[in-house]
Amino acid sequence: MSTVQHEVDERTNLISSNKFELLLFRLGVDTVNERSELFGINVFKVREIVAMPEITAVAGALPHNLGVVNLRGQIIPVIDLPSVVGRTPKSGLNIMLVTEFARSTQGFAVESVEEIVRLDWSHVLSAESSAAGGLVTSIARLDGDAEDTRLAQVLDVEQILRQIAPKGNKDVDSETIGAKLKMKPGSVIMAADDSAVARGLIGQALDAIGAPYIMSKTGKECWDKLQVMQAGAVAEGKDLRDKVALVLTDLEMPEMDGFTLTRNIKQDDRFKGLPVIIHSSLSGTTNEDHVRSVGADAYVAKFVAEELAATIREVIAN
Protein backbone atom coordinates (compact mmCIF):
# COMPACT_ATOMS: atom_id res chain seq x y z
CA MET A 1 0.00 0.00 0.00
CA SER A 2 2.90 2.38 0.75
CA THR A 3 4.10 2.05 -2.85
CA VAL A 4 0.69 2.99 -4.17
CA GLN A 5 0.54 5.98 -1.80
CA HIS A 6 3.93 7.15 -3.09
CA GLU A 7 2.63 6.95 -6.65
CA VAL A 8 -0.44 9.00 -5.73
CA ASP A 9 1.76 11.74 -4.28
CA GLU A 10 4.16 11.66 -7.21
CA ARG A 11 1.76 11.42 -10.13
CA THR A 12 -0.89 13.97 -9.24
CA ASN A 13 1.42 16.45 -10.97
CA LEU A 14 1.00 14.65 -14.30
CA ILE A 15 0.19 17.14 -17.05
CA SER A 16 -2.65 15.76 -19.09
CA SER A 17 -2.27 14.79 -22.73
CA ASN A 18 -5.56 12.92 -23.05
CA LYS A 19 -4.16 10.49 -20.49
CA PHE A 20 -5.05 9.97 -16.88
CA GLU A 21 -4.18 7.71 -14.02
CA LEU A 22 -6.66 5.33 -12.50
CA LEU A 23 -6.38 3.98 -8.97
CA LEU A 24 -7.64 0.39 -9.04
CA PHE A 25 -9.24 -1.28 -6.03
CA ARG A 26 -11.53 -4.14 -5.11
CA LEU A 27 -14.76 -4.02 -3.16
CA GLY A 28 -15.50 -7.73 -2.74
CA VAL A 29 -17.66 -10.23 -4.56
CA ASP A 30 -21.07 -9.76 -6.10
CA THR A 31 -23.99 -11.93 -5.09
CA VAL A 32 -24.52 -13.38 -8.58
CA ASN A 33 -21.25 -14.90 -9.72
CA GLU A 34 -19.06 -14.53 -6.60
CA ARG A 35 -16.43 -12.66 -8.60
CA SER A 36 -14.32 -9.78 -7.36
CA GLU A 37 -14.15 -7.13 -10.08
CA LEU A 38 -11.82 -4.17 -10.44
CA PHE A 39 -13.13 -0.67 -9.81
CA GLY A 40 -11.35 2.62 -10.36
CA ILE A 41 -11.23 6.27 -9.45
CA ASN A 42 -9.13 9.04 -10.98
CA VAL A 43 -5.90 9.60 -9.03
CA PHE A 44 -6.58 13.34 -9.06
CA LYS A 45 -9.49 12.75 -6.67
CA VAL A 46 -7.38 10.84 -4.14
CA ARG A 47 -5.64 12.79 -1.40
CA GLU A 48 -4.23 9.80 0.43
CA ILE A 49 -4.67 6.11 1.17
CA VAL A 50 -4.64 4.85 4.74
CA ALA A 51 -5.26 1.66 6.66
CA MET A 52 -8.81 1.76 7.98
CA PRO A 53 -8.81 3.86 11.17
CA GLU A 54 -11.23 3.50 14.04
CA ILE A 55 -14.66 4.70 12.96
CA THR A 56 -17.13 6.46 15.25
CA ALA A 57 -20.69 5.52 14.37
CA VAL A 58 -23.00 8.54 14.07
CA ALA A 59 -26.52 8.29 15.46
CA GLY A 60 -29.19 8.44 12.77
CA ALA A 61 -26.69 8.09 9.92
CA LEU A 62 -28.08 7.45 6.46
CA PRO A 63 -27.57 4.05 4.79
CA HIS A 64 -24.02 3.35 3.57
CA ASN A 65 -22.56 5.92 5.99
CA LEU A 66 -20.26 4.07 8.39
CA GLY A 67 -19.62 7.09 10.60
CA VAL A 68 -16.71 9.50 10.93
CA VAL A 69 -12.98 9.33 11.57
CA ASN A 70 -10.57 11.84 13.04
CA LEU A 71 -7.69 12.12 10.57
CA ARG A 72 -5.02 14.52 11.85
CA GLY A 73 -7.62 16.78 13.38
CA GLN A 74 -10.08 16.68 10.46
CA ILE A 75 -13.41 14.91 10.93
CA ILE A 76 -14.14 12.94 7.76
CA PRO A 77 -17.32 10.99 6.93
CA VAL A 78 -16.68 7.42 5.79
CA ILE A 79 -18.77 5.75 3.10
CA ASP A 80 -19.19 1.98 2.80
CA LEU A 81 -18.41 1.80 -0.91
CA PRO A 82 -18.94 -1.99 -1.28
CA SER A 83 -22.48 -1.71 0.08
CA VAL A 84 -23.23 1.21 -2.26
CA VAL A 85 -22.44 -0.89 -5.35
CA GLY A 86 -23.72 -4.21 -4.02
CA ARG A 87 -20.48 -6.02 -3.17
CA THR A 88 -19.49 -8.06 -0.13
CA PRO A 89 -15.86 -7.82 1.00
CA LYS A 90 -14.47 -11.21 2.03
CA SER A 91 -11.56 -9.87 4.07
CA GLY A 92 -13.27 -6.81 5.47
CA LEU A 93 -13.06 -3.06 4.92
CA ASN A 94 -9.31 -2.73 5.19
CA ILE A 95 -8.44 0.49 3.35
CA MET A 96 -9.81 4.03 3.32
CA LEU A 97 -9.42 6.23 0.25
CA VAL A 98 -9.45 9.86 1.33
CA THR A 99 -10.84 11.87 -1.55
CA GLU A 100 -11.26 15.56 -2.27
CA PHE A 101 -14.17 16.03 -4.58
CA ALA A 102 -16.58 18.83 -5.40
CA ARG A 103 -15.48 21.02 -2.45
CA SER A 104 -15.75 18.19 0.06
CA THR A 105 -13.55 15.59 1.71
CA GLN A 106 -14.73 12.08 2.42
CA GLY A 107 -13.36 8.60 2.99
CA PHE A 108 -14.37 5.60 0.92
CA ALA A 109 -13.97 2.24 2.63
CA VAL A 110 -12.71 -0.48 0.24
CA GLU A 111 -11.47 -4.05 0.61
CA SER A 112 -8.09 -3.67 -1.08
CA VAL A 113 -6.04 -1.36 -3.30
CA GLU A 114 -4.37 -2.93 -6.33
CA GLU A 115 -2.30 -0.50 -8.43
CA ILE A 116 -2.26 2.69 -10.42
CA VAL A 117 -2.43 2.45 -14.20
CA ARG A 118 -1.88 5.17 -16.75
CA LEU A 119 -4.44 5.12 -19.56
CA ASP A 120 -5.36 7.03 -22.65
CA TRP A 121 -8.94 8.33 -22.47
CA SER A 122 -9.54 6.71 -25.88
CA HIS A 123 -9.40 3.36 -24.05
CA VAL A 124 -12.21 4.41 -21.71
CA LEU A 125 -15.74 3.92 -23.01
CA SER A 126 -18.94 5.50 -21.73
CA ALA A 127 -21.05 3.05 -19.73
CA GLU A 128 -24.07 4.90 -18.38
CA SER A 129 -26.38 2.00 -19.18
CA SER A 130 -24.20 -0.55 -17.36
CA ALA A 131 -24.96 -2.28 -14.10
CA ALA A 132 -24.41 -0.93 -10.56
CA GLY A 133 -27.55 1.16 -10.70
CA GLY A 134 -26.08 3.88 -12.87
CA LEU A 135 -23.08 4.31 -10.57
CA VAL A 136 -20.55 3.61 -13.33
CA THR A 137 -19.64 6.35 -15.79
CA SER A 138 -17.27 4.32 -17.94
CA ILE A 139 -15.44 1.07 -18.52
CA ALA A 140 -11.64 1.23 -18.76
CA ARG A 141 -9.78 -1.21 -20.99
CA LEU A 142 -6.66 -1.59 -18.85
CA ASP A 143 -4.58 -3.33 -21.52
CA GLY A 144 -5.61 -1.08 -24.40
CA ASP A 145 -6.87 -2.75 -27.54
CA ALA A 146 -5.83 -6.27 -26.51
CA GLU A 147 -8.61 -8.77 -27.11
CA ASP A 148 -8.34 -10.19 -23.59
CA THR A 149 -7.87 -6.85 -21.88
CA ARG A 150 -8.73 -6.53 -18.22
CA LEU A 151 -11.69 -4.24 -17.53
CA ALA A 152 -12.28 -1.82 -14.67
CA GLN A 153 -15.46 0.04 -13.80
CA VAL A 154 -14.90 3.77 -13.25
CA LEU A 155 -17.30 4.92 -10.56
CA ASP A 156 -19.45 8.02 -10.81
CA VAL A 157 -18.56 9.68 -7.51
CA GLU A 158 -21.02 12.51 -8.14
CA GLN A 159 -23.88 10.03 -8.39
CA ILE A 160 -22.70 8.11 -5.33
CA LEU A 161 -22.51 11.20 -3.15
CA ARG A 162 -25.87 12.44 -4.36
CA GLN A 163 -27.45 9.02 -3.72
CA ILE A 164 -26.17 8.57 -0.18
CA ALA A 165 -26.68 12.17 0.96
CA PRO A 166 -29.59 13.58 -1.06
CA LYS A 167 -30.20 16.42 1.40
CA GLY A 168 -26.66 17.64 0.88
CA ASN A 169 -27.19 18.16 -2.83
CA LYS A 170 -29.25 21.25 -3.56
CA ASP A 171 -30.94 21.60 -6.89
CA VAL A 172 -30.73 24.90 -8.72
CA ASP A 173 -32.67 27.75 -7.13
CA SER A 174 -33.97 30.05 -9.85
CA GLU A 175 -34.58 32.75 -7.22
CA THR A 176 -30.90 33.08 -6.27
CA ILE A 177 -29.11 32.28 -9.50
CA GLY A 178 -29.43 35.84 -10.78
CA ALA A 179 -30.32 37.63 -13.99
CA LYS A 180 -30.95 35.99 -17.33
CA LEU A 181 -27.94 35.64 -19.61
CA LYS A 182 -27.63 37.96 -22.59
CA MET A 183 -26.59 35.93 -25.64
CA LYS A 184 -26.68 36.43 -29.37
CA PRO A 185 -30.06 35.30 -30.75
CA GLY A 186 -29.68 31.79 -32.12
CA SER A 187 -26.47 30.99 -30.24
CA VAL A 188 -26.03 28.17 -27.73
CA ILE A 189 -23.69 26.98 -25.04
CA MET A 190 -21.93 23.69 -25.80
CA ALA A 191 -21.64 21.67 -22.58
CA ALA A 192 -19.88 18.35 -21.93
CA ASP A 193 -19.94 16.13 -18.84
CA ASP A 194 -19.88 12.36 -18.46
CA SER A 195 -21.93 12.29 -15.25
CA ALA A 196 -25.70 12.14 -15.63
CA VAL A 197 -26.10 13.92 -12.29
CA ALA A 198 -23.78 16.74 -13.36
CA ARG A 199 -25.53 17.11 -16.73
CA GLY A 200 -28.85 17.41 -14.95
CA LEU A 201 -27.60 20.12 -12.60
CA ILE A 202 -25.83 22.01 -15.40
CA GLY A 203 -28.99 21.86 -17.48
CA GLN A 204 -31.03 23.25 -14.58
CA ALA A 205 -28.56 26.12 -14.14
CA LEU A 206 -28.52 26.98 -17.84
CA ASP A 207 -32.31 26.83 -18.02
CA ALA A 208 -32.55 29.11 -14.99
CA ILE A 209 -30.45 31.81 -16.67
CA GLY A 210 -32.23 31.38 -20.00
CA ALA A 211 -29.26 29.93 -21.87
CA PRO A 212 -30.01 27.46 -24.69
CA TYR A 213 -27.48 24.62 -24.76
CA ILE A 214 -26.37 21.45 -26.48
CA MET A 215 -25.21 18.74 -24.06
CA SER A 216 -22.60 16.04 -24.72
CA LYS A 217 -21.51 13.04 -22.66
CA THR A 218 -17.85 13.05 -23.69
CA GLY A 219 -15.21 15.47 -24.86
CA LYS A 220 -15.03 13.75 -28.23
CA GLU A 221 -18.80 14.03 -28.72
CA CYS A 222 -18.59 17.74 -27.95
CA TRP A 223 -15.62 18.18 -30.30
CA ASP A 224 -17.47 16.42 -33.11
CA LYS A 225 -20.61 18.53 -32.58
CA LEU A 226 -18.53 21.69 -32.48
CA GLN A 227 -17.00 20.91 -35.87
CA VAL A 228 -20.48 20.34 -37.31
CA MET A 229 -21.59 23.70 -35.91
CA GLN A 230 -18.55 25.38 -37.44
CA ALA A 231 -19.18 23.83 -40.85
CA GLY A 232 -22.81 24.96 -40.67
CA ALA A 233 -21.74 28.50 -39.82
CA VAL A 234 -19.42 28.61 -42.83
CA ALA A 235 -22.17 27.30 -45.12
CA GLU A 236 -24.48 30.06 -43.90
CA GLY A 237 -21.82 32.74 -44.24
CA LYS A 238 -21.72 33.27 -40.49
CA ASP A 239 -19.08 33.30 -37.79
CA LEU A 240 -19.03 30.37 -35.37
CA ARG A 241 -19.62 32.82 -32.50
CA ASP A 242 -23.03 33.52 -34.06
CA LYS A 243 -23.91 29.91 -33.26
CA VAL A 244 -21.81 29.04 -30.20
CA ALA A 245 -21.44 31.44 -27.28
CA LEU A 246 -18.97 29.32 -25.30
CA VAL A 247 -17.94 25.78 -24.40
CA LEU A 248 -18.46 24.49 -20.85
CA THR A 249 -16.55 21.29 -20.18
CA ASP A 250 -15.77 18.82 -17.43
CA LEU A 251 -12.21 17.47 -17.15
CA GLU A 252 -12.76 13.74 -16.64
CA MET A 253 -14.53 12.23 -19.64
CA PRO A 254 -14.26 9.04 -21.69
CA GLU A 255 -12.63 9.13 -25.15
CA MET A 256 -11.38 12.73 -24.82
CA ASP A 257 -10.83 14.64 -21.60
CA GLY A 258 -11.56 18.30 -20.99
CA PHE A 259 -7.89 19.28 -21.14
CA THR A 260 -7.61 17.86 -24.66
CA LEU A 261 -10.94 19.32 -25.78
CA THR A 262 -9.86 22.77 -24.58
CA ARG A 263 -6.44 22.49 -26.17
CA ASN A 264 -7.99 21.36 -29.48
CA ILE A 265 -10.30 24.38 -29.49
CA LYS A 266 -7.63 26.89 -28.53
CA GLN A 267 -5.10 25.61 -31.08
CA ASP A 268 -7.52 25.49 -34.02
CA ASP A 269 -7.82 28.72 -36.04
CA ARG A 270 -11.41 27.85 -36.93
CA PHE A 271 -12.40 28.39 -33.29
CA LYS A 272 -10.35 31.51 -32.65
CA GLY A 273 -11.86 33.56 -29.83
CA LEU A 274 -14.31 30.86 -28.70
CA PRO A 275 -14.35 30.97 -24.87
CA VAL A 276 -13.94 27.78 -22.85
CA ILE A 277 -14.93 27.37 -19.20
CA ILE A 278 -13.72 24.28 -17.35
CA HIS A 279 -16.25 23.12 -14.75
CA SER A 280 -14.83 20.31 -12.68
CA SER A 281 -14.87 18.53 -9.35
CA LEU A 282 -11.09 18.20 -9.64
CA SER A 283 -10.13 21.25 -7.63
CA GLY A 284 -6.77 22.38 -6.27
CA THR A 285 -3.87 24.48 -7.51
CA THR A 286 -2.37 21.70 -9.64
CA ASN A 287 -5.51 21.31 -11.72
CA GLU A 288 -6.01 25.07 -11.95
CA ASP A 289 -2.44 25.38 -13.26
CA HIS A 290 -3.26 22.77 -15.89
CA VAL A 291 -6.40 24.69 -16.83
CA ARG A 292 -4.35 27.81 -17.48
CA SER A 293 -1.75 25.83 -19.42
CA VAL A 294 -4.30 24.67 -22.03
CA GLY A 295 -5.71 28.18 -22.46
CA ALA A 296 -9.12 27.93 -20.79
CA ASP A 297 -10.80 31.28 -20.16
CA ALA A 298 -12.09 30.36 -16.70
CA TYR A 299 -12.30 27.59 -14.15
CA VAL A 300 -15.19 26.99 -11.75
CA ALA A 301 -15.40 24.14 -9.24
CA LYS A 302 -18.51 21.99 -9.05
CA PHE A 303 -21.23 22.55 -8.08
CA VAL A 304 -22.60 25.91 -7.00
CA ALA A 305 -25.12 27.11 -9.56
CA GLU A 306 -24.69 30.76 -8.62
CA GLU A 307 -20.93 30.60 -9.16
CA LEU A 308 -21.32 28.78 -12.45
CA ALA A 309 -23.84 31.37 -13.67
CA ALA A 310 -21.64 34.26 -12.56
CA THR A 311 -18.62 32.80 -14.37
CA ILE A 312 -20.60 32.29 -17.58
CA ARG A 313 -21.87 35.87 -17.44
CA GLU A 314 -18.37 37.24 -16.91
CA VAL A 315 -16.81 35.23 -19.75
CA ILE A 316 -19.55 36.10 -22.24
CA ALA A 317 -19.38 39.78 -21.27
CA ASN A 318 -15.68 39.81 -22.13
Side-chain angles (χ1 to χ4, degrees):
M1 188 179 70
S2 61
T3 301
V4 173
Q5 176 64 59
H6 174 71
E7 291 179 353
V8 169
D9 295 336
E10 196 174 60
R11 294 184 178 184
T12 49
N13 293 318
L14 177 69
I15 295 177
S16 178
S17 55
N18 206 40
K19 296 180 184 295
F20 77 117
E21 292 184 325
L22 192 66
L23 174 66
L24 300 177
F25 50 87
R26 295 187 188 274
L27 301 176
V29 299
D30 65 50
T31 56
V32 177
N33 57 27
E34 291 293 308
R35 289 182 55 180
S36 177
E37 308 290 355
L38 283 169
F39 292 86
I41 186 174
N42 194 322
V43 166
F44 277 115
K45 288 191 173 84
V46 182
R47 191 178 83 187
E48 57 185 307
I49 301 166
V50 299
M52 184 59 67
E54 182 177 348
I55 298 176
T56 299
V58 176
L62 294 170
H64 310 305
N65 285 270
L66 295 173
V68 297
V69 300
N70 178 35
L71 189 63
R72 291 185 296 281
Q74 183 180 11
I75 302 300
I76 299 174
V78 183
I79 297 163
D80 184 348
L81 197 52
S83 73
V84 172
V85 301
R87 299 298 190 271
T88 303
K90 292 296 188 182
S91 63
L93 297 172
N94 304 308
I95 305 295
M96 183 173 74
L97 309 181
V98 182
T99 66
E100 293 181 336
F101 177 86
R103 307 169 188 250
S104 66
T105 301
Q106 53 278 314
F108 286 107
V110 304
E111 182 175 39
S112 63
V113 168
E114 299 290 306
E115 61 178 316
I116 289 174
V117 293
R118 184 174 298 182
L119 300 173
D120 192 296
W121 278 109
S122 64
H123 292 146
V124 182
L125 306 179
S126 180
E128 279 196 353
S129 60
S130 68
L135 300 180
V136 175
T137 61
S138 51
I139 303 294
R141 296 178 293 181
L142 302 180
D143 305 305
D145 296 325
E147 186 66 28
D148 57 349
T149 182
R150 296 169 297 156
L151 299 177
Q153 301 174 62
V154 182
L155 293 175
D156 185 345
V157 183
E158 289 169 320
Q159 175 64 34
I160 290 171
L161 293 180
R162 189 170 179 82
Q163 177 173 303
I164 66 173
K167 293 182 180 179
N169 295 273
K170 296 194 305 179
D171 287 337
V172 174
D173 185 347
S174 58
E175 297 296 321
T176 62
I177 200 168
K180 298 293 185 180
L181 187 65
K182 295 179 180 179
M183 295 171 55
K184 286 184 179 181
S187 66
V188 300
I189 289 175
M190 304 284 288
D193 201 297
D194 69 327
S195 167
V197 167
R199 289 197 304 275
L201 291 171
I202 291 167
Q204 288 181 41
L206 295 177
D207 286 337
I209 60 175
Y213 60 90
I214 295 175
M215 191 71 71
S216 298
K217 298 178 182 178
T218 73
K220 185 178 183 302
E221 182 183 342
C222 184
W223 175 244
D224 291 343
K225 288 178 179 178
L226 190 58
Q227 293 186 83
V228 171
M229 296 287 282
Q230 194 275 336
V234 171
E236 296 173 24
K238 296 181 178 179
D239 185 271
L240 177 64
R241 295 293 300 276
D242 295 325
K243 288 182 168 289
V244 181
L246 63 80
V247 174
L248 176 68
T249 179
D250 187 21
L251 288 180
E252 294 182 279
M253 291 181 290
E255 299 179 341
M256 179 187 290
D257 67 15
F259 288 119
T260 303
L261 174 61
T262 303
R263 188 166 44 245
N264 285 353
I265 292 169
K266 293 300 183 179
Q267 293 180 354
D268 194 317
D269 288 340
R270 295 176 301 167
F271 308 122
K272 187 175 181 179
L274 180 63
V276 178
I277 297 174
I278 288 181
H279 181 228
S280 175
S281 60
L282 298 180
S283 56
T285 56
T286 298
N287 288 298
E288 292 182 30
D289 287 344
H290 291 170
V291 166
R292 285 190 288 271
S293 74
V294 296
D297 296 87
Y299 172 90
V300 58
K302 291 180 177 175
F303 179 83
V304 177
E306 291 79 7
E307 290 185 12
L308 176 59
T311 302
I312 291 173
R313 290 191 195 95
E314 180 180 353
V315 169
I316 286 184
N318 294 333

